[in-house]
Each structure stands twice: as C-alpha cells, then as structure tokens.
Amino acid sequence: MDNTHESQSSPRKERPYTTISRRDALKLGGGLTSTVFAVPMLLSACGGTGSLVPSSSSADKTLRVYWNAGHAYTTYQQVISQFEKDHPGWKVKLELYQWPDMRTKVLANFAAGDAPDLIEEPGGWVQEFGLAGKLHSLQPYLAKDGASLGFPNDWQSYTVERNTVHGEVYGIQLHLTCMLLFYNKELLHKSGHTSVPATWEEFLEISRAVTANNQYGFAANQDSGYSWPWYLQNDVHLYDPTRKALAMDTPAAAEALQFQSDLIHKYKVAPVPVATGSYDGPQKLLSAGRAAFIITGPWDIKPILGANKDFPLGIAQALKKSTQATSAAGTSLMIPKAAKNPDMAWELMKRLLALETEVAVTKEASMTMPRLSWSRHPDVQKLELIAPFAKGLSYAQFSGAQIEKTGKSGPITSLFDKSYQDVIYKQTPASEALKAFTEAGNKVLSQ
C-alpha cells in the first residue's frame, strides 16, 4: 500500500469508536505505486459544472476538503486547479491528514457543528456517520446527475450497497482494491508446476512441492484481516442481517480458519507469522525468495519491485473452495450535513469520480478503481500488474459491509482478532474459537 498503511483494507472491518489502525488502513485501497506514467491534463468538461453551482455572490467561496495525505496525487491537484479556473473566485483548501488525525479532526468538527465540505474516508465512516445523521444524503444530487455520472450502473454494485444506509446513498466509492495471490514465478517453475493454483487443493500441493531448506510455499499474515479471502472462498460471511446475528459458528467457517492454521502447524508449508504490529512480514519473505505465495493487494507491489525491479513477480486470481472470492477495500467520498457549501462539494466530487480521473490516477499511482468502465479500459488492461485486479474486483466483497451498519463493528473486530490469534498461535481448534467468538459477538450485538 502507500505510506498511509500504518495499519486499508485489508478487508478488515473499521473500528468506528477508535482511531484507525494499521489494518483499518488496509481498507483505504492504499497508494499502490508500481510504475509511474505521465499524467494527462484533465479536461474542464470532467464531471461538468451543472446547475447546482451557487451564485457568485456567495459570501464564503472557499471549499474545504479533507484528504488522505498518501493520496495527494498530481492528478487530483490538476482536477482542483481546473475546478478553480472554471469557477472564478472559488478556492479549494485541501487539508491533508493521516487517517487517525483526520478522524480526530472530523469528530471535533461534528461536535462543534463546523464541518468541512467534502471528506475522503477510509471505509466504514459513511455507515457510522450516516447512521448518526451527520452526512448529507446524496439522493437529490444523484436524481439530477446520477445518469451523466454513470452512478450507480458503472460502479461495482457491492460498493453502492455498502454506502447505502436506510435506502439513501451517503457516499460514493473513490478507490477500490482487493487481495489476490502474489507469487514468485521462478519458485513456481522450480516446483515442477506450469500453472498457478486455482483451488485450495492445488495451492497445498504446490506449496508442499516448494517447501524445503527454510523456503516455504506460503507466508501467512499475523493480521486477521488477511484471513478474509479464505472465509469468502468457502462462502462464509461475518453477519446475517436477516437474523441480526453473527454467522461464523458453522462448519464452513471452521474449515476456512482451520485450513489456515494447518498450513502452518500440520502441513508445515508456512512459517508461524511474526507477532508484530507490522503487516509486511509476508511481503518481505516473498521478496527474499523464502516464500512462493502470499495473499495481499497492490500496496505491496512497490515494496517488492522497489527492492528488486527484476523480481519475478506474478499476480494470480483468488483461489476457490466452494466459490471464487476475495475481500475488497477502498475509500469513499462523503459530504457532511454541516458543510457550508454542499452543492459546490458535489460539483468537485463529480470531477474527482470521473472515469478520466480514475484512469489518470491509475497511470500515476497504480491505484485501482470502482468503475466497471475502468476495469475494461484499454489503458488499464495493458498494465500487467494492475489488470489482474480489474478482474478480481468483479468478484470481490466487503467482508464487513453488513456489520458496519449495526454500529458495532469496532468491538466485533476486536473479538474476531482474538479468535484468529488463538487459532494461529495457540492452535486452539478453529471450531472452538469461532464458537466463542460468535457467542461473545452476539452478546455485543444484543446490547
């Protein structure tokens, strides 16, 4: 990811009542730079100006925007510059923050009734603040401009569902990424296999063939957020909104978690993850040639190729058990209810969300995006290390999308972390750990 990955998405659920952690940053879609390309100037027609623009007699013509510090790309600066030229007298004040600092600032703003006009959020805030009545519903804007923007039909449908609270859209996905199977092409070849694994069984077979002499088939992550692809591939979901209860005390869930533990302790094709606050242990093992496979996202492309531009990196699609699936992550844009200039915020928001902006940011920073037209775009398809994500996003899922709308995702996440750690480190049977997690989590939900 980028330098904001002190923790995006991983596919991990946000902690709505605390500051954003390293794993929460996994959800932001991270700065994903692998190769830098020339960035085209964006046309003033991007997003259009529309009829919602306030008159020039507006007393306050400064648009305040809160943005993640790792996402201050040249492309966005160009969009803002053109926006100011097209709206004489208006200035955009772009305030850059790391996620924990932004959260502190936003909470203080909401308490004081003095919010910025537009906010980039790391995932989960749209649901939290939408439920709290702190955000503008975007429905009036979408009724006017949705068709020309391409929303919702041009967005991955699960991003629209995630940002819809009580039937109202309160945010629109800006960045979108997912986790896929990264591998060392040379180690795969040496294993005697000519193709990447597609199933858990094939994955285990190749991992066994690679493992020898302090070299492993797989490197698992100590961060529980990285466990979600395995659950989703076995058609396991965290929360059942119909029953309003956790859905993890099942044989399929236990199978998914036990398989991860068995890779380490039973089959011995993966080392025990180092229990630190860092997420990058697997990436370092892959880069050092000590692991053939890791599961991660585009945020690890730059560290791998930055250390060795000739590293034989391959990126394959997610594995399949009962289904092919993986976990999604990313940031969204939202307009606070207390914004002084919500109409102008929407005008800027349209430009930031435009297809040409998405493609330019991908060329500049290898960021992956939520539009279906982005995933099909020829400039995206010809990027060898980005095109796999364009495909993977079509079957990715937000693992915490439903639990976020309960307002209880923070404490549930802490309990989920414990269940993962107990199984991976203490070798607690997965069925036992998940039963305890489900019982404790449902008590939280009932409170």
Side-chain angles (χ1 to χ4, degrees):
M1 228 186 287
D2 61 8
N3 58 0
T4 64
H5 191 350
E6 48 215 28
S7 113
Q8 182 171 46
S9 150
S10 121
R12 155 219 179 106
K13 284 115 356 253
E14 298 77 7
R15 303 177 187 269
Y17 303 114
T18 62
T19 57
I20 293 300
S21 70
R22 175 183 58 76
R23 190 176 323 149
D24 293 324
L26 276 172
K27 280 194 160 175
L28 48 101
L32 316 173
T33 309
S34 57
T35 306
V36 177
F37 296 81
V39 181
M41 285 298 293
L42 300 177
L43 302 178
S44 60
C46 175
T49 56
S51 61
L52 292 175
V53 180
S55 68
S56 58
S57 61
S58 174
D60 183 2
K61 301 183 75 171
T62 298
L63 201 66
R64 294 171 60 205
V65 178
Y66 286 5
W67 208 256
N68 181 262
H71 298 162
Y73 303 132
T74 300
T75 299
Y76 292 141
Q77 299 286 354
Q78 291 176 342
V79 169
I80 289 170
S81 178
Q82 189 63 56
F83 178 85
E84 291 175 335
K85 291 178 182 177
D86 291 342
H87 300 93
W90 281 89
K91 294 295 180 184
V92 176
K93 183 181 180 184
L94 189 68
E95 300 183 35
L96 305 178
Y97 299 96
Q98 300 294 342
W99 296 121
D101 296 332
M102 187 191 296
R103 182 175 179 82
T104 299
K105 183 78 170 177
V106 167
L107 291 174
N109 288 154
F110 284 163
D114 179 29
D117 297 299
L118 183 64
I119 299 174
E120 179 194 10
E121 59 88 52
W125 294 6
V126 169
Q127 296 73 31
E128 177 189 355
F129 297 133
L131 287 169
K134 299 296 185 181
L135 301 181
H136 255 292
S137 168
L138 301 181
Q139 295 298 144
Y141 299 119
L142 292 171
K144 174 186 176 294
D145 295 328
S148 61
L149 182 63
F151 188 92
N153 293 340
D154 196 32
W155 263 253
Q156 298 284 354
S157 61
Y158 57 90
T159 69
V160 179
E161 179 183 355
R162 186 192 195 193
N163 286 322
T164 300
V165 180
H166 296 322
E168 300 268 317
V169 175
Y170 284 92
I172 297 181
Q173 201 78 27
L174 173 70
H175 300 153
L176 182 67
T177 189
C178 65
M179 292 196 284
L180 295 178
L181 189 65
F182 282 42
Y183 66 100
N184 183 320
K185 293 179 179 179
E186 290 183 358
L187 291 185
L188 177 67
H189 177 73
K190 290 178 181 178
S191 73
H193 292 79
T194 58
S195 59
V196 294
T199 66
W200 290 11
E201 292 76 14
E202 292 173 0
F203 177 80
L204 177 57
E205 179 185 352
I206 297 175
S207 294
R208 280 173 154 169
V210 170
T211 301
N213 301 322
N214 205 31
Q215 177 180 287
Y216 295 92
F218 178 57
N221 207 296
Q222 58 84 27
D223 188 320
S224 67
Y226 285 81
S227 69
W228 268 107
W230 301 100
Y231 288 111
L232 296 172
Q233 287 157 22
N234 215 24
D235 203 22
V236 174
H237 301 277
L238 176 63
Y239 180 73
D240 182 347
T242 302
R243 294 191 298 114
K244 296 183 178 180
L246 297 182
M248 298 290 286
D249 187 10
T250 66
E255 181 182 30
L257 181 53
Q258 192 64 54
F259 184 72
Q260 295 174 69
S261 177
D262 286 349
L263 290 172
I264 300 167
H265 302 292
K266 179 180 179 180
Y267 303 120
K268 302 188 183 303
V269 298
V272 176
V274 177
T276 68
S278 175
Y279 79 101
D280 60 0
Q283 171 262 307
K284 290 180 177 178
L285 288 175
L286 181 77
S287 298
R290 291 188 54 209
F293 299 107
I294 64 171
I295 294 174
T296 189
W299 51 87
D300 271 332
I301 294 176
K302 183 179 179 180
I304 293 169
L305 298 184
N308 177 8
K309 65 181 180 60
D310 297 319
F311 184 84
L313 177 63
I315 300 178
Q317 293 305 303
L319 298 171
K320 178 180 179 180
K321 182 61 174 175
S322 63
T323 188
Q324 185 178 42
T326 191
S327 50
T331 70
S332 295
L333 297 180
M334 61 187 189
I335 299 175
K337 197 169 187 177
K340 293 182 174 64
N341 303 293
D343 294 347
M344 285 298 283
W346 172 251
E347 295 304 318
L348 177 59
M349 190 169 165
K350 287 189 295 182
R351 297 180 180 220
L352 294 168
L353 294 169
L355 175 61
E356 53 263 48
T357 306
E358 285 194 349
V359 173
V361 170
T362 298
K363 290 180 177 180
E364 176 186 357
S366 296
M367 181 65 77
T368 55
M369 300 293 183
R371 281 183 180 263
L372 300 176
S373 54
W374 172 87
S375 66
R376 298 188 296 262
H377 198 284
D379 288 353
V380 172
Q381 286 296 317
K382 67 186 180 184
L383 298 175
E384 181 183 1
L385 297 179
I386 295 301
F389 292 94
K391 181 177 180 180
L393 290 172
S394 69
Y395 56 77
Q397 304 173 42
F398 286 120
S399 61
Q402 294 297 332
I403 199 72
E404 289 164 353
K405 296 179 183 180
T406 68
K408 304 287 183 69
S409 65
I412 296 297
T413 293
S414 296
L415 292 171
F416 179 78
D417 290 346
K418 182 180 183 303
S419 68
Y420 178 78
Q421 305 293 339
D422 284 348
V423 173
I424 295 300
Y425 292 110
K426 299 179 181 179
Q427 300 186 56
T428 301
S431 57
E432 178 182 322
L434 289 175
K435 181 179 180 180
F437 162 66
T438 302
E439 291 175 352
N442 283 333
K443 287 182 181 178
V444 171
L445 292 173
S446 67
Q447 294 171 356

